[in-house]
Amino acid sequence: MRVVFDGKKKMHELNLANTGSDTARYIISFIEIKMHENGSFEQITEAEIGQRFASPFVRFFPRSVVLPPNEAQLVKLQVYNTGDLESGEYRSHLYLRAEPVAAALGDQGSKKDSSEGGISIRLTPVFGISIPVIIRTGEQHVEVSLDSLQMAGTPAAKQLQVTFKRKGNISVYGDVRVDYLTPQGKRTQVAEIKGVAVYTPTTQRKLMIPLAAGPDYRMGRLEVTYMTAPEKSETPLAWAALTLRP
């Protein structure tokens, strides 16, 4: 899930739903994140060279909400003061953190550890999700290629390593499909990963793709296609092939 302000649209809406069995309070804020070459993320406070934050130009409301089970609430995001932005991409991540609603002191019960001097500890997990919020403005250009294809993994669990190389002033986002072709030309889809991104300012990302069991990966060919998500009519972004040899 992503929110992209590109063009004249100034507002987006997100539907926040509590699918749990308890009433929860959701705290909403912005955080800043950088992407590493292996696809992992790290929270940061200062932008790196080539990275620009969207949070100064996006307002959202509400900033917190209490939802009973199976209830939902719209979160609205609006861009402002973007008239003088330089061409390119600005990105921050909307962070939605669920916190259990604390019970009243009188409702906590009197259950104690039966051992003398015992200490009782209750651990409550806190769940959260971050959603990229992207502003694109002015002239935008991006190119992506697939490079350094090689087999990895074990004989029982084969993987394909692919390096995505990005050039330009905006990020790329799409789905990855891997097809296996036998020496006779029979085609079989052996892998699919949805929602693969390479965010600015990262110029390359290494991805390990698990391959389906069955084909004889000692011969034939693997073809990797990187394409825009279905809502973008699946336009090809990049393609590469690896000839397999014993």
Side-chain angles (χ1 to χ4, degrees):
M1 183 185 299
R2 317 177 334 134
V3 175
V4 180
F5 292 96
D6 191 354
K8 296 182 179 180
K9 189 167 185 178
K10 299 297 183 182
M11 181 172 288
H12 278 280
E13 293 181 344
L14 296 175
N15 191 40
L16 174 62
N18 180 8
T19 59
S21 58
D22 298 317
T23 296
R25 180 178 184 232
Y26 295 86
I27 308 299
I28 307 171
S29 61
F30 269 123
I31 59 175
E32 313 300 346
I33 288 177
K34 66 174 289 185
M35 170 180 274
H36 294 287
E37 287 188 2
N38 63 1
S40 63
F41 292 102
E42 177 187 349
Q43 188 171 342
I44 59 176
T45 56
E46 296 184 1
E48 296 186 339
I49 297 175
Q51 182 174 8
R52 293 176 287 192
F53 297 152
S55 53
F57 311 102
V58 182
R59 58 168 65 101
F60 60 90
F61 48 91
R63 293 183 175 270
S64 67
V65 62
V66 176
L67 288 179
N70 301 315
E71 294 292 328
Q73 167 76 45
L74 285 179
V75 178
K76 298 184 178 181
L77 297 94
Q78 182 181 29
V79 295
Y80 66 102
N81 292 341
T82 58
D84 296 328
L85 293 182
E86 296 180 1
S87 296
E89 181 174 285
Y90 298 72
R91 173 177 55 88
S92 295
H93 290 244
L94 192 71
Y95 183 47
L96 302 98
R97 187 179 76 252
E99 294 185 340
V101 176
L105 291 177
D107 296 334
Q108 292 180 352
S110 57
K111 187 175 181 179
K112 297 181 180 179
D113 193 298
S114 58
S115 61
E116 184 177 354
I119 298 176
S120 177
I121 298 176
R122 179 182 180 184
L123 299 178
T124 303
V126 176
F127 299 97
I129 185 172
S130 64
I131 300 172
V133 177
I134 295 171
I135 301 173
R136 290 175 176 165
T137 183
E139 294 186 8
Q140 303 161 31
H141 53 91
V142 66
E143 296 179 6
V144 60
S145 61
L146 307 179
D147 196 8
S148 303
L149 276 66
Q150 60 182 12
M151 296 294 291
T154 65
K158 288 293 187 180
Q159 294 179 312
L160 178 65
Q161 179 176 301
V162 183
T163 299
F164 294 71
K165 293 188 174 181
R166 183 196 63 82
K167 295 180 180 179
N169 64 352
I170 64 174
S171 63
V172 289
Y173 178 85
D175 300 339
V176 178
R177 186 184 72 232
V178 182
D179 292 336
Y180 169 72
L181 277 74
T182 67
Q184 295 75 33
K186 182 181 178 181
R187 180 182 298 271
T188 304
Q189 182 174 317
V190 293
E192 183 179 38
I193 300 180
K194 295 184 178 295
V196 176
V198 185
Y199 291 119
T200 57
T202 303
T203 57
Q204 68 176 26
R205 174 181 175 180
K206 296 180 180 179
L207 181 66
M208 297 295 293
I209 306 174
L211 301 177
D216 184 357
Y217 293 113
R218 295 173 301 172
M219 59 185 67
R221 187 173 67 177
L222 290 173
E223 293 184 355
V224 184
T225 305
Y226 186 41
M227 68 197 80
T228 56
E231 59 268 22
K232 297 292 187 179
S233 302
E234 293 189 335
T235 303
L237 297 170
W239 179 92
L242 173 65
T243 300
L244 302 171
R245 295 182 175 88

